[in-house]
Amino acid sequence: MDTVVLARMFFGSSLAFHIIFATLAIGLSLMIFIFEILYQVKKDNNYAIMAKRLTKGFAILLGVAIPTGTIVGVQLSLLWPGFAEIVGQVIAVPFQIEIFAFFLEALFMSIYVYAADKLPRYLRLISLFFVMFGATASAVLITSANTWMNTPAGFSVADDGTIYNVDPWRAFFNPSFFVSSWHVVITAFATGACVVAALAGFKLLRRKAKHQEFGYYRKGLYVSLVVAAITGTLMMFSGHSSAVMLHEHSPEKLAAAEGLIATQANAGLTIGGFVNPDTLEMEYGLEVPGALSILAGGTFDTVVKGLEEFPRETWPPFYTHVLFNLMVGLGSLMFGIVLFALFMWWLYKRKQSVQLPKWLLWLVVSLGPVSILAIEFGWIFSCSGRQPWTIYGVQRVTNAATRADYVGELYFLFVILYIVLAILTVVVLISYFKRHPLAKELETYGGKNHV
Amino acid sequence: MYEADLAIIILWTLLSVYSILGAIDFGTGFWSMVYANHETLAGKIANRFLSPTWEVTNTFLVFLVVAVMVFFPKAAFSFATAMFVPVTLILVLIVLRSSLMVFSHSFEKYSKLLRIVSGITGLLVPMLLIIVLPITEGGFISVVDGVETLDLGKVFSSPTIYAYMLFGLASELFLSALFLADFSRELGSEDTYIIYRRNALFLGPVALLMAIVALGVMDPAASWLMANLQDKLLLFMISLFCFILGYSALWWSLRNEKNVGWPRFAMIAIVLQYGIASFAYGSAHLPYIVYPIMTVTDGFTTVETFRTLLIVYAAGVAVLLPGFLIFWNVFLKNRSLIREE
Ligand code: HDD
Ligand code: HEM
Ligand code: HEM
């Protein structure tokens, strides 16, 4: 296989792996912060235990997030030296600030994890706040780099490739920065809430749980569903803004995402289906007339650019349509499940019934994988929708990629590494929580509910 | 060009700081493995230091990589291609080391095995990291069809590389042993202090010897560096003096002290020793980043970006400094934490 393809697979896999742990780090830090606040407000020890147990899981996940982040950070230069050369001259600032955000998070994370019991209340909240702030800031900052690749700004390129006229802050605050980084942060928060809800739902499925534990998990489930509903609502709006942003700044990507060939007003939105590359017709999809114009500009007569406006050799691959559908589909499914579960909760509560039905709990459990898959497809869409460019309109992937030897062999090694790490993480998490059962912690803290 | 000089000074300072932080971090991981079941607190104290700090040290490594990319992007370009294989392998080791270390705290069943693997991988990382230095000195990278290629066969058969590796290993163990001696004293655990002091006493001369050997077997392609280094003789003498001072401080004592040695003084002197030697080496290396293909001026970023980065650095330091101070007080000065473990 040629080195460029291998480099793309290598980097894509590394990021796809990193993003799982990174997103969870952001989302869980929010949930831990919320539980800690609830504990301080309600003085209900269950919330303190939730914060503590989630923190333990969080620390284990960080043990993968940080080294895999180190991998992608170094691989950015290793696999894409041509890209790194321009990054260093133009969009260096977010990378540099990100390091400071990492420091902030690492410092306060250690303080919280290793000294929480000895800290005064207010310092605990402050440390947690900085952990959350650091994680969120690092997401915003790295997204700045990514949005700059999609909508480059703040520099000019001479014919010989020299970069001049650099404005680092204009590069940082490029046209898609605000919309996309908000989308990334809010989806990470929603994912964190969904994963906690899924864990609580899973525990509730095991009916033999003792009464006290039962109450614990129900509280956890309820809080995380409410957080998921709030962040989920914001997330749907922000997804819409992202689509509008594509319409304004990356029309080629939007056209590929929707398989739209001809520029038109009243453009339809196709759900499912794929573009036949020979006939350029959308096949097997369900078309909603006019919906794309509405999505992009709010009115039926919004003119949406089709791929015909662009030279065929720079069209993004047609499969981005599938990826886009998967993200939006899974995202909507997730939001639907959350609302539905809360509605059912309210119904059952009115009927004084304690148990949620099993099928509902299984639906809640599915929130975990569904939200993470939505994140994965969203990113793969965003990155492959930029093809064949690494920096849209400026640098092609072939000019960014490394020309080193042994890329394939090392890729193989890393795939094995990621598989082993994934398995080990799950085993370690399960084994830890088996050896430190909830019952024991409830006993230790249980009596003194109003400290 | 004055900006590029400033940039290389910042970068080299970061590198020198990391080489000491990293040596202590990786070395401590090794000691925590060696003394896992020791009757004294030796293993526990190593762990006590490592648990809260490895993340920060790791972030420092990323800091360094990013600093190269943003200050000298064109050097990153040519160097990244040449160093693809070794750096990728280092990444594997770093990942194994960090995650297994974290896992070993939570996975009681295999905690020992994980500790051993992470201790050993940690030992290897500095040995591999340090070979970046001889490679930049020339003779290992050639440009084939416009692509910078590292001659792997030559790397693995070169005595220079092995000498540097041994120097890295000895320094790692020496610095971490010395640091842990100081740290044990700080925490009030004298029997641990005795152990680490003994290790430091043995390793100090070994590290010094390896440094001299590494310079002695320098590759012929690096004769330009040798000539420059000779101009820095005075600095190296001062550095040597710091070593003697620091080393002998391990025997100093006032009458009322239980065990001999002033480890805090020794630590400071040895850090100075490494700092001065590193400065001397770094300035002899100029103007090349990678000899002979990349100089500081060729590799430099755009001036606009550099100025902005300076502002960012100032702001970052201002924000982080209080954080580091809190961190230091919570962990490294706090005796109660160790007693409870
Ligand atoms: C839980 C995850 C999740 C959910 C439910 C959604 N998204 Fe999303 N989306 C992401 C997770 C995500 C992401 C992984 O975070 C992306 C990848 C790049 C980015 O900026 O965010 C993304 C990118 C992204 C982009 C491309 C931005 C770019 O390429 O620059 C668009 C147009 C949308 N989203 C639109 C939507 C719409 C209309 C949604 C409606 C339901 C939606 N997203 C739900
Ligand atoms: C949107 C995508 C991403 C998100 C949300 C994200 C978020 C995170 C988070 C939360 C961490 C743990 C931080 C810590 O505790 O130190 C992390 C680590 C890291 N990430 Fe990512 N990341 C993303 C993509 C990337 C990319 C593309 C790169 C590099 C090119 C990168 C580089 C790093 C590095 C170097 C670390 C380790 C820092 C350390 O050593 O502490 N990340 N990331
Ligand atoms: C904000 C963070 C991110 C940055 C800065 C970033 C940057 C890059 C770069 C430099 C490339 C290589 C050049 C190219 O193919 O265009 C790339 C490709 C790729 N990235 Fe991203 N990326 C980010 C997030 C992600 C995430 C989180 C994923 C996966 C879940 C991802 C998946 C991919 C894939 C699959 C490719 C290969 C593209 C293809 O083959 O079509 N990226 N990205």
Side-chain angles (χ1 to χ4, degrees):
Chain A
M1 232 185 283
D2 105 82
T3 310
V4 177
V5 177
L6 282 172
R8 286 167 55 190
M9 287 164 55
F10 202 160
F11 197 65
S13 312
S14 295
L15 268 164
F17 193 65
H18 173 62
I19 196 70
I20 300 174
F21 298 91
T23 306
L24 287 177
I26 298 166
L28 287 184
S29 67
L30 174 77
M31 293 310 292
I32 297 171
F33 187 62
I34 288 178
F35 284 134
E36 186 78 35
I37 288 188
L38 279 175
Y39 166 60
Q40 313 273 356
V41 174
K42 296 197 162 184
K43 304 282 183 248
D44 177 346
N45 247 316
N46 277 350
Y47 292 118
I49 299 175
M50 273 174 219
K52 198 171 157 214
R53 287 172 75 79
L54 278 181
T55 306
K56 192 60 210 184
F58 179 78
I60 295 173
L61 292 177
L62 265 193
V64 186
I66 292 173
T68 53
T70 310
I71 294 184
V72 283
V74 179
Q75 278 185 347
L76 197 69
S77 302
L78 282 183
L79 287 169
W80 312 104
F83 174 61
E85 192 179 359
I86 303 186
V87 165
Q89 298 177 71
V90 185
I91 189 82
V93 170
F95 281 99
Q96 192 57 66
I97 307 180
E98 191 186 19
I99 299 295
F100 295 129
F102 286 147
F103 272 128
L104 204 66
E105 184 187 356
L107 286 175
F108 285 99
M109 187 60 211
S110 298
I111 294 179
Y112 184 73
V113 169
Y114 295 100
D117 299 342
K118 287 125 201 149
L119 292 181
R121 274 295 118 67
Y122 75 97
L123 254 184
R124 257 166 83 158
L125 272 183
I126 291 182
S127 324
L128 264 183
F129 173 78
F130 279 115
V131 170
M132 191 179 72
F133 178 78
T136 311
S138 61
V140 169
L141 291 158
I142 196 69
T143 309
S144 162
N146 185 267
T147 52
W148 172 83
M149 298 164 69
N150 292 333
T151 52
F155 67 109
S156 317
V157 191
D159 289 335
D160 65 348
T162 317
I163 307 281
Y164 65 102
N165 217 354
V166 173
D167 181 346
W169 294 111
R170 266 199 48 210
F172 188 115
F173 297 108
N174 62 77
S176 56
F177 167 68
F178 287 105
V179 171
S180 286
S181 48
W182 168 237
H183 192 53
V184 169
V185 169
I186 198 70
T187 52
F189 284 163
T191 302
C194 283
V195 168
V196 174
L199 287 173
F202 186 73
K203 289 293 182 177
L204 285 173
L205 272 169
R206 301 204 338 223
R207 298 263 155 134
K208 59 182 187 320
K210 279 201 241 87
H211 183 67
Q212 229 187 357
E213 295 184 31
F214 197 72
Y216 171 90
Y217 288 123
R218 275 180 64 101
K219 281 180 214 166
L221 179 60
Y222 184 65
V223 172
S224 47
L225 279 180
V226 169
V227 176
I230 297 169
T231 48
T233 312
L234 295 172
M235 173 187 89
M236 296 308 274
F237 280 111
S238 110
H240 175 245
S241 320
S242 286
V244 175
M245 180 276 295
L246 284 194
H247 170 64
E248 283 165 9
H249 299 290
S250 313
E252 192 172 3
K253 199 182 215 172
L254 184 64
E258 293 303 343
L260 190 72
I261 307 296
T263 300
Q264 51 191 277
N266 203 4
L269 190 89
T270 316
I271 299 171
F274 53 86
V275 177
N276 182 330
D278 300 321
T279 59
L280 297 183
E281 296 287 330
M282 179 67 82
E283 289 175 4
Y284 304 110
L286 172 70
E287 180 164 335
V288 187
L292 180 55
S293 285
I294 293 280
L295 183 68
T299 58
F300 282 110
D301 40 78
T302 304
V303 176
V304 182
K305 277 191 185 166
L307 284 172
E308 64 178 12
E309 305 254 339
F310 306 93
R312 177 143 195 189
E313 48 128 21
T314 68
W315 288 4
F318 290 122
Y319 61 73
T320 53
H321 174 64
V322 180
L323 293 168
F324 186 65
N325 273 199
L326 281 168
M327 172 189 65
V328 178
L330 291 170
S332 312
L333 178 68
M334 148 186 163
F335 189 50
I337 294 177
V338 169
L339 291 188
F340 181 67
L342 276 176
F343 174 69
M344 293 299 282
W345 186 293
W346 175 75
L347 266 189
Y348 279 91
K349 196 124 198 187
R350 282 208 331 191
K351 284 203 229 143
Q352 300 292 323
S353 152
V354 199
Q355 294 278 28
L356 294 178
K358 261 198 160 144
W359 58 267
L360 185 62
L361 288 174
W362 276 117
L363 266 185
V364 170
V365 171
S366 77
L367 282 176
V370 165
S371 56
I372 289 183
L373 282 176
I375 296 269
E376 292 281 352
F377 288 125
W379 276 111
I380 302 173
F381 163 65
S382 178
C383 278
S384 24
R386 200 176 48 236
Q387 293 294 311
W389 304 100
T390 292
I391 306 170
Y392 186 77
V394 176
Q395 184 179 52
R396 284 180 188 251
V397 176
T398 40
N399 297 327
T402 181
R403 287 171 295 171
D405 297 325
Y406 304 111
V407 179
E409 288 81 348
L410 290 172
Y411 175 48
F412 183 68
L413 177 68
F414 269 67
V415 171
I416 296 176
L417 180 71
Y418 293 145
I419 294 175
V420 170
L421 271 185
I423 296 174
L424 207 56
T425 313
V426 175
V427 173
V428 169
L429 281 171
I430 293 177
S431 129
Y432 178 81
F433 286 106
K434 270 227 169 89
R435 284 177 138 251
H436 301 264
L438 174 65
K440 229 161 83 192
E441 294 199 44
L442 284 173
E443 250 166 56
T444 332
Y445 290 84
K448 27 176 188 168
N449 231 11
H450 293 272
V451 191
Chain B
M1 190 159 68
Y2 136 89
E3 278 100 350
D5 294 340
L6 192 54
I8 194 73
I9 291 174
I10 297 177
L11 184 63
W12 192 256
T13 310
L14 290 178
L15 187 131
S16 307
V17 174
Y18 178 72
S19 62
I20 289 175
L21 286 182
I24 293 176
D25 178 66
F26 288 108
T28 304
F30 176 74
W31 295 120
S32 116
M33 171 191 95
V34 171
Y35 293 121
N37 298 320
H38 203 258
E39 71 264 25
T40 66
L41 288 175
K44 281 226 172 88
I45 285 197
N47 240 325
R48 233 315 258 106
F49 170 73
L50 207 55
S51 303
T53 52
W54 75 269
E55 287 185 63
V56 179
T57 317
N58 188 70
T59 308
F60 216 99
L61 175 63
V62 180
F63 190 4
L64 200 61
V65 173
V66 168
V68 174
M69 179 173 82
V70 300
F71 286 146
F72 297 99
K74 293 169 198 158
F77 175 79
S78 46
F79 209 49
T81 317
M83 295 302 284
F84 183 76
V85 175
V87 176
T88 305
L89 291 177
I90 293 175
L91 283 177
V92 177
L93 295 179
I94 289 183
V95 171
L96 282 178
R97 189 244 181 189
S98 312
S99 12
L100 296 188
M101 197 166 68
V102 173
F103 289 169
S104 76
H105 294 300
S106 315
F107 199 25
E108 285 93 347
K109 213 155 127 201
Y110 293 100
S111 150
K112 221 184 207 161
L113 176 71
L114 294 184
R115 255 196 195 196
I116 291 175
V117 179
S118 105
I120 291 174
T121 45
L123 208 55
L124 296 175
V125 172
M127 291 171 69
L128 288 174
L129 281 177
I130 202 173
I131 67 170
V132 172
L133 291 185
I135 289 174
T136 62
E137 291 167 5
F140 295 99
I141 297 177
S142 46
V143 183
V144 184
D145 300 332
V147 181
E148 294 80 1
T149 315
L150 182 68
D151 188 344
L152 281 175
K154 182 168 177 201
V155 168
F156 287 111
S157 59
S158 153
T160 320
I161 298 281
Y162 289 105
Y164 268 91
M165 281 183 167
L166 288 178
F167 169 60
L169 180 65
S171 301
E172 170 193 5
L173 294 177
F174 173 50
L175 283 167
S176 54
L178 187 59
F179 171 81
L180 286 170
D182 180 32
F183 191 51
S184 314
R185 165 84 41 103
E186 175 78 35
L187 295 180
S189 170
E190 283 291 315
D191 15 341
T192 315
Y193 165 71
I194 292 170
I195 293 176
Y196 285 121
R197 173 180 176 270
R198 199 182 55 215
N199 289 332
L201 284 182
F202 168 67
L203 289 161
V206 177
L208 189 65
L209 188 71
M210 289 323 303
I212 295 168
V213 170
L215 289 180
V217 297
M218 199 171 270
D219 197 81
S223 55
W224 66 279
L225 180 66
M226 207 57 203
N228 288 350
L229 283 174
Q230 275 155 11
D231 293 342
K232 312 284 177 204
L233 201 60
L234 181 66
L235 282 174
F236 282 112
M237 293 322 271
I238 300 178
S239 163
L240 183 66
F241 175 72
C242 287
F243 173 78
I244 295 170
L245 203 65
Y247 193 69
S248 63
L250 288 174
W251 273 284
W252 299 352
S253 83
L254 295 175
R255 203 164 297 151
N256 55 359
E257 275 171 342
K258 252 194 301 183
N259 296 300
V260 293
W262 290 1
R264 176 62 49 86
F265 184 91
M267 188 69 207
I268 292 172
I270 299 294
V271 167
L272 265 182
Q273 175 217 340
Y274 272 84
I276 294 169
S278 160
F279 177 74
Y281 174 91
S283 49
H285 206 287
L286 290 177
Y288 294 102
I289 295 179
V290 183
Y291 181 84
I293 53 176
M294 183 62 61
T295 68
V296 168
T297 332
D298 296 341
F300 189 56
T301 185
T302 50
V303 178
E304 296 88 338
T305 296
F306 178 68
R307 296 223 173 101
T308 318
L309 285 173
L310 283 187
I311 300 172
V312 169
Y313 266 56
V317 171
V319 172
L320 282 175
L321 213 54
F324 275 107
L325 288 179
I326 299 179
F327 186 75
W328 179 263
N329 279 321
V330 169
F331 288 111
L332 303 178
K333 295 201 88 67
N334 194 336
R335 292 185 179 198
S336 70
L337 285 175
I338 185 79
R339 296 231 179 79
E340 285 171 28
E341 264 160 29

